[in-house]
Amino acid sequence: MSKDYSRNFGRRMRDAIRERGSRVALALDVLDEQEAYRVLDAVHPHLAAVKVNYPLFLSVGREAVGRMIGRYDLPFIGDFKIADIDATNTKICEIMYDVGFDALIAHSVVGRQGALDAVLDAAARHGRGVILVTSMSHPGAKEFMPPYEDTARFARELGVDGVIAPATRTEEVAAIRRIVGEDMLILSPGVGPQGGKAQETLDAGADALIVGRSIYCADDPETAARRLAEVV
Ligand code: BMP
C-alpha cells in the first residue's frame, strides 16, 4: 500500500456530477486559447469536469492553462499519462499540480516502485487526485497492454481516486467496476468518433464520460454537450 492521501478528488467529482446534473468531462483537445474559451464558455454549464491533454497544454503553455483553470468552477484533470521513473514523475507532478490541476492521469504499466509511488506522494503533498489508466479505448490496447483485470486490481491496491476504462468496450467497464468497487471513479473515453455509446457506457458502471470531438467539433457545442449531459 502506498502512503495514505486525501480522497478529495473522488468526492469533488461526485459532487460536481450531482450538483451540475452532468456526467460529461470535456476533453479539450483544441490548439489555441481563443478556441478553448469559445468552447468552454458555451459548454461549461453542462460539464462535470474538463480534461486537458498535450495538444492544448503544448499549444498554449502552462500559464494560459493555469488561468483557464482559475476561470471555471469545475474540476480540471491533467491527462499527461505519466509513465516515467520516480525522479521525472515527481517533477512532472509538481509542475502540473502547481498549474492547478485537481487530478493527474498516470499509466499503470510502469508499476509502483520507483515510478507511481512518486505520483502518489506528490498527490499527497498537494492534496490532489490520481487517476490510473486500466485499459485504453483504441484497438491496439489489446496488443501489449496488461490484462485490465490486473491493472484494475492494481488501481484498487494503490488506492487511487479513479481509473480510465474504455467506452468502446463496455464489458471491460462493467468488469473493472466489479474489481475496483463502488467508491472508485470510472471515467470513460471513446464515445462518438471512436465508436462508444454514452448510454451503454454509463449503464456499464462508468461515473462519467470523457468526450472531446463530439462536443468541440460540433456545429453547436452547447447543444452537443447539453444532449450528452441528459444521458444518465
Ligand atoms: P474524443 O472524444 O475526441 O475521441 O477524445 C477522447 C479523449 O480521451 C482524448 O483526449 C484522448 O486522448 C483521451 N483518451 C482516449 O481517447 N482513450 C483512452 O483510452 C484514454 C484517453 O485518455
Side-chain angles (χ1 to χ4, degrees):
M1 267 293 192
S2 257
K3 278 179 207 161
D4 199 20
Y5 71 100
S6 97
R7 299 292 294 274
N8 282 342
F9 181 71
R11 268 199 298 278
R12 176 140 195 241
M13 265 302 291
R14 288 216 162 112
D15 286 351
I17 287 168
R18 199 182 49 252
E19 285 160 17
R20 307 176 67 88
S22 169
R23 293 183 176 275
V24 179
L26 172 66
L28 191 55
D29 298 326
V30 298
L31 303 181
D32 78 70
E33 203 174 347
Q34 249 190 320
E35 175 67 357
Y37 281 117
R38 183 186 74 85
V39 176
L40 279 174
D41 286 342
V43 308
H44 74 90
H46 309 300
L47 301 181
V50 178
K51 182 178 82 68
V52 173
N53 197 332
Y54 292 101
L56 180 65
F57 197 86
L58 295 175
S59 300
V60 307
R62 64 178 170 186
E63 283 80 16
V65 171
R67 282 195 297 276
M68 207 172 285
I69 293 173
R71 266 179 60 168
Y72 299 89
D73 184 23
L74 278 168
F76 271 70
I77 300 166
D79 178 8
F80 305 106
K81 296 194 181 67
I82 300 164
D84 218 309
I85 61 155
D86 50 9
T88 309
N89 288 346
T90 298
K91 290 172 187 157
I92 296 169
C93 291
E94 287 298 328
I95 291 169
M96 294 306 178
Y97 286 130
D98 279 346
V99 164
F101 286 109
D102 298 284
L104 296 175
I105 298 177
H107 261 305
S108 49
V109 288
V110 286
R112 187 183 66 192
Q113 233 188 331
L116 288 171
D117 263 348
V119 177
L120 295 170
D121 285 348
R125 279 194 298 279
H126 290 261
R128 311 281 174 85
V130 176
I131 298 167
L132 211 61
V133 176
T134 50
S135 178
M136 290 189 72
S137 57
H138 63 298
K142 300 270 98 180
E143 290 170 24
F144 298 113
M145 289 185 73
Y148 61 84
E149 295 91 339
D150 293 350
T151 51
R153 270 191 292 272
F154 182 47
R156 198 184 54 191
E157 263 170 52
L158 290 183
V160 292
D161 303 79
V163 294
I164 299 290
T168 47
R169 293 190 300 278
T170 51
E171 70 286 0
E172 293 189 15
V173 175
I176 289 166
R177 171 57 77 204
R178 285 193 292 275
I179 295 168
V180 299
E182 291 302 317
D183 281 355
M184 195 173 286
L185 283 176
I186 298 183
L187 307 180
S188 291
V191 166
Q194 298 187 54
K197 303 273 182 289
Q199 188 70 67
E200 268 174 39
T201 308
L202 294 179
D203 290 348
D207 291 284
L209 309 167
I210 292 173
V211 185
R213 289 165 289 176
S214 301
I215 295 175
Y216 66 74
C217 292
D219 291 338
D220 179 357
E222 195 269 335
T223 302
R226 179 162 37 79
R227 292 211 173 119
L228 277 160
E230 282 163 8
V231 184
V232 286

